[in-house]
Amino acid sequence: MKVILKTMLATLLAIVTPAFLWSQTKPIPINVSLFNESTAIPFTRFITTPVHPGIQVGTEFDYNRKSHTRLFQTANISYFYHNYLAQGIGIHTELGYECRASMGLALTGLFGLGYMHTFATTEEFRHHNGQYEKKSDKGNARLIPSLSFDVGYYLRCADTYSPKIYLRYEAWAEYPYSPDFIPVLTHINLHAGVKFFLSKKSISHE
Amino acid sequence: MNKITNLLIVFLFISACREGENIEPSFYTCEFNFPDSSLTHPEHQQYQNLLDEIVSNGVVGISMSVFKPQDGMWIGAGGMADLHNAVSMQPCNISRVGSTVKMYTAVTVLKLQEEGKLNLDDKIADYLDGDVIDKIENADEATIRQLLQHSSGIYNYIQNLVFQTASTNDLIREWKPEDLLQYAYHKSAYFPPGDDVAYSNTNYIMLGMLIEKIEGKPFYDVFEEKLFSPLGLTLTQFAAEDPVPDGIVRGYIDLYSNLQVLESTYFSGWDYYTADGGLISNPYDMNRFFLELMRGHIINANSLNEMLIWITPKEQDAEFFPIQYGLGIFRIETPQGIAYMHSGDAIGYYANMLYFPDDSTTIVYAVNSNYGKIDQFVSTQAAMENILEAVK
């Protein structure tokens, strides 16, 4: 478990560091969202129950910014807990395109790819030498492509570094899921999130 | 700050993995009300070796009954009823036997016909609310017989991917008939009624509703009155009465196809309240039911003849025995001869019941694990051939 967590942390740092270096002269954007995960066919469901909670933290950096649009890259780490099925911790990056209207409203589309390690939420037994024995769960490795859309609102319309609140619909898949049985399992996450900026000033206060 | 984060992560993972329930072995205590002479049965060792082989391959636990007129009944078990508490499987243990209930549903409908309460060639639309009928393609034309024989062409709700992911999303949800039928609403039928056969659970949900409409009580109460009680099937019940009754063996799934199983006892599946699944029984009771049925002791000869009128699907499943469809029963051509059968899956459980009309041999087995790699040892054609070769 420790090795997995350390590996994932190192990978996240590898993604975030360029953004961080780039942003040394500018405020650093931080995205934090709470989400409800569910297994579902993408775009057939919006709000689902029961709630399977998740949290995502990430940052982003711009490739190209114009007055009302920008192309950007994100780097995120996330965790979800799906009762009885699995819990997963993942890292992923997304290429995003945002259109921002002058009144503060913003629409964004994101295409992502990442890695997730999932663990069973119930006891697991392994077949060994003709019988089952309790095993420690080393988890399962997954690729997680994603496609997301969000609608957001910048609290200070004219400010590039304004905080933003957003609602994001993320469709994603985990692959491979169960070879020869369920090759791919699709999910949706409904995020309620906020983007805020850590300014040089606030960094220097830490 | 780092310490707090680390502690939070450790807490999340420790608290998030649910340990198995601690259950006393006495919970699984059960007994038969007949003199069991299985240990002195002439083929006892051969049958037991088969069960042990299946368990050593990766099945968690299995129980089996074999009836041959010349040898009588043999019952046996292998493997585990409960891995967490290290409890061995016993032949009398009960488990979920899924769609095998369709044979019981069909027999109940045939009994209602014998009682003059319906005719198999009546349209189902004559009995059920128009609200349901209007939303399911072919339901306005299909007859009760066509529902029983899977020749209605009605869409199988289980095939709906939206349903499959929804059921995975809430593994302990208890689905009501109306909830499930929604996944068949406005779906294209496979063919016009009577043109072919295609297995559809939707047919049997509607048949359960038919039984309730005619009898004015839950269909599983009708099962109890017409089948379980008269036949003395004391270890048979329906999930709606008690979804996880005392004594039921734990179920396990090989979700990731790697023979690493997770417990699924409390996963509802989707058939606690519908007549397409939800039966809880054991191989002894199921064997007795099948034998009594084939001996003409449950329904009369005319009804049994109707049940055994076969339709051949236009296209056979290349990965299974040649098959024909009767009313709640199948006819398959095995290397050991013609067999009548019905099998059933639940999440973590599988059962199969077979009757060979040439010599009246009846074989029933139930396992408390399925999916992934386990299916190849219990439910595929190769698995059944292995079992029949050793037993028949």
Side-chain angles (χ1 to χ4, degrees):
Chain A
M1 175 77 75
K2 268 185 179 175
V3 174
I4 293 163
L5 289 174
K6 282 180 180 172
T7 305
M8 296 184 77
L9 193 60
T11 312
L12 182 71
L13 285 173
I15 297 168
V16 170
T17 302
F20 182 77
L21 291 173
W22 168 83
S23 62
Q24 285 305 288
T25 55
K26 297 177 181 176
I28 303 168
I30 302 292
N31 290 304
V32 178
S33 66
L34 299 175
F35 63 86
N36 176 28
E37 177 275 344
S38 68
T39 57
I41 301 298
F43 310 110
T44 62
R45 292 287 184 274
F46 189 69
I47 295 171
T48 58
T49 56
V51 170
H52 302 300
I55 183 167
Q56 179 169 298
V57 180
T59 187
E60 61 190 43
F61 57 94
D62 292 345
Y63 286 127
N64 185 290
R65 173 185 283 274
K66 293 179 179 171
S67 58
H68 290 289
T69 62
R70 68 187 179 100
L71 183 68
F72 61 98
Q73 190 79 38
T74 71
N76 310 291
I77 186 164
S78 63
Y79 168 84
F80 76 89
Y81 181 88
H82 187 126
N83 203 9
Y84 295 105
L85 187 65
Q87 55 184 325
I89 183 162
I91 50 169
H92 76 295
T93 181
E94 298 157 303
L95 183 66
Y97 187 78
E98 183 188 62
C99 297
R100 179 174 171 176
S102 50
M103 80 283 273
L105 196 66
L107 298 175
T108 309
L110 304 109
F111 174 72
L113 187 64
Y115 172 84
M116 176 166 280
H117 214 82
T118 63
F119 300 87
T121 55
T122 55
E123 207 171 20
E124 197 167 38
F125 299 89
R126 179 182 59 172
H127 191 249
H128 183 62
N129 288 336
Q131 57 187 356
Y132 280 94
E133 57 191 30
K134 190 172 174 180
K135 73 175 277 276
S136 59
D137 185 7
K138 292 185 171 62
N140 299 286
R142 307 278 191 248
L143 276 177
I144 50 167
S146 66
L147 181 65
S148 308
F149 298 96
D150 75 41
V151 56
Y153 181 72
Y154 283 94
L155 301 180
R156 296 191 296 270
C157 305
D159 183 356
T160 303
Y161 302 114
S162 161
K164 174 189 172 188
I165 53 175
Y166 59 88
L167 193 64
R168 176 173 298 168
Y169 186 93
E170 178 185 14
W172 61 283
E174 53 176 315
Y175 174 84
Y177 188 71
S178 178
D180 301 323
F181 179 43
I182 307 170
V184 178
L185 186 64
T186 57
H187 303 250
I188 58 171
N189 293 348
L190 186 62
H191 297 253
V194 59
K195 178 169 82 171
F196 57 93
F197 289 84
L198 291 179
S199 67
K200 280 198 294 185
K201 187 177 175 185
S202 63
I203 292 169
S204 65
H205 283 180
E206 283 195 345
Chain B
M1 184 62 186
N2 280 342
K3 281 182 181 175
I4 292 171
T5 307
N6 288 339
L7 278 173
L8 184 64
I9 290 171
V10 168
F11 171 77
L12 277 171
F13 278 90
I14 289 173
S15 64
C17 186
R18 185 179 289 107
E19 283 290 305
E21 213 177 340
N22 292 324
I23 299 172
E24 292 295 322
S26 59
F27 175 85
Y28 297 103
T29 301
C30 58
E31 56 186 32
F32 288 118
N33 55 4
F34 76 101
D36 176 17
S37 57
S38 299
L39 291 176
T40 57
H41 188 283
E43 298 185 82
H44 167 70
Q45 200 53 54
Q46 185 180 337
Y47 295 168
Q48 189 59 51
N49 289 346
L50 170 69
L51 301 191
D52 294 344
E53 173 205 319
I54 291 171
V55 167
S56 70
N57 283 338
V59 172
V60 175
I62 182 168
S63 54
M64 177 181 271
S65 66
V66 180
F67 176 82
K68 292 181 179 177
Q70 69 277 18
D71 297 327
M73 184 77 81
W74 177 87
I75 51 173
M80 307 302 286
D82 180 337
L83 290 171
H84 178 76
N85 296 290
V87 179
S88 297
M89 183 77 87
Q90 303 169 70
C92 55
N93 282 147
I94 55 172
S95 69
R96 300 191 196 287
V97 295
S99 287
T100 59
V101 79
K102 291 185 174 77
M103 197 184 291
Y104 298 71
T105 304
V107 168
T108 303
V109 171
L110 284 160
K111 283 183 80 72
L112 292 175
Q113 179 176 249
E114 289 177 9
E115 294 167 12
K117 295 175 178 172
L118 57 81
N119 186 300
L120 293 192
D121 294 313
D122 292 340
K123 289 181 179 176
I124 190 70
D126 296 340
Y127 296 88
L128 301 189
D129 292 340
D131 201 31
V132 169
I133 299 296
D134 294 345
K135 293 175 184 166
I136 297 178
E137 195 169 308
N138 281 9
D140 58 338
E141 286 297 317
T143 64
I144 296 168
R145 187 189 303 276
Q146 287 168 337
L147 295 181
L148 287 167
Q149 202 152 20
H150 299 288
S151 61
S152 68
I154 288 173
Y155 179 81
N156 186 359
Y157 73 89
I158 287 183
Q159 296 292 323
N160 189 331
L161 290 174
V162 175
F163 167 72
Q164 291 175 12
T165 49
S167 64
T168 306
N169 193 51
D170 189 357
L171 286 162
I172 58 168
R173 174 174 173 178
E174 296 187 358
W175 298 80
K176 295 294 166 57
E178 298 75 18
D179 301 330
L180 296 172
L181 287 179
Q182 283 180 18
Y183 293 96
Y185 286 170
H186 311 299
K187 288 287 188 181
S188 296
Y190 299 125
F191 45 77
D195 260 25
D196 198 357
V197 282
Y199 192 87
S200 173
N201 288 277
T202 313
N203 290 325
Y204 276 75
I205 292 185
M206 296 170 77
L207 289 166
M209 296 166 82
L210 168 73
I211 294 168
E212 295 187 345
K213 183 85 173 182
I214 289 174
E215 294 294 275
K217 62 183 81 167
F219 67 84
Y220 40 86
D221 285 351
V222 182
F223 288 173
E224 183 68 44
E225 288 170 16
K226 293 187 185 299
L227 304 177
F228 305 163
S229 287
L231 293 169
L233 306 180
T234 55
L235 296 170
T236 300
Q237 57 194 298
F238 198 80
E241 303 276 19
D242 185 358
V244 187
D246 285 357
I248 192 167
V249 298
R250 306 295 95 175
Y252 299 90
I253 49 174
D254 180 19
L255 187 59
Y256 303 128
S257 297
N258 55 6
L259 292 185
Q260 294 179 9
V261 297
L262 307 169
E263 195 191 321
S264 61
T265 312
Y266 288 88
F267 293 3
S268 63
W270 38 84
D271 51 16
Y272 281 179
Y273 298 95
T274 51
D276 60 330
L279 193 68
I280 294 170
S281 188
N282 71 9
Y284 174 70
D285 269 12
M286 295 166 75
N287 201 313
R288 285 197 50 232
F289 170 78
F290 211 170
L291 270 176
E292 294 298 305
L293 175 64
M294 290 298 127
R295 286 169 173 166
H297 294 166
I298 305 179
I299 52 177
N300 63 35
N302 286 339
S303 297
L304 188 55
N305 286 338
E306 284 199 278
M307 193 172 184
L308 303 180
I309 294 171
W310 309 105
I311 296 180
T312 306
K314 288 179 178 170
E315 195 172 330
Q316 292 281 352
D317 179 354
E319 296 184 352
F320 200 61
F321 302 105
I323 194 168
Q324 293 178 301
Y325 289 54
L327 306 184
I329 192 167
F330 299 99
R331 178 185 185 275
I332 57 173
E333 297 171 25
T334 77
Q336 282 69 36
I338 298 297
Y340 303 158
M341 57 90 66
H342 210 301
S343 60
D345 266 304
I347 302 180
Y349 303 88
Y350 172 82
N352 198 355
M353 50 203 294
L354 302 111
Y355 173 83
F356 290 80
D358 65 334
D359 62 0
S360 300
T361 294
T362 315
I363 302 164
V364 181
Y365 58 95
V367 301
N368 62 337
S369 48
N370 64 350
Y371 298 161
K373 283 190 174 171
I374 291 176
D375 283 351
Q376 67 184 288
F377 307 123
V378 293
S379 57
T380 61
Q381 178 173 338
M384 287 175 64
E385 283 177 352
N386 179 49
I387 290 167
L388 297 181
E389 191 179 358
V391 175
K392 177 69 167 62

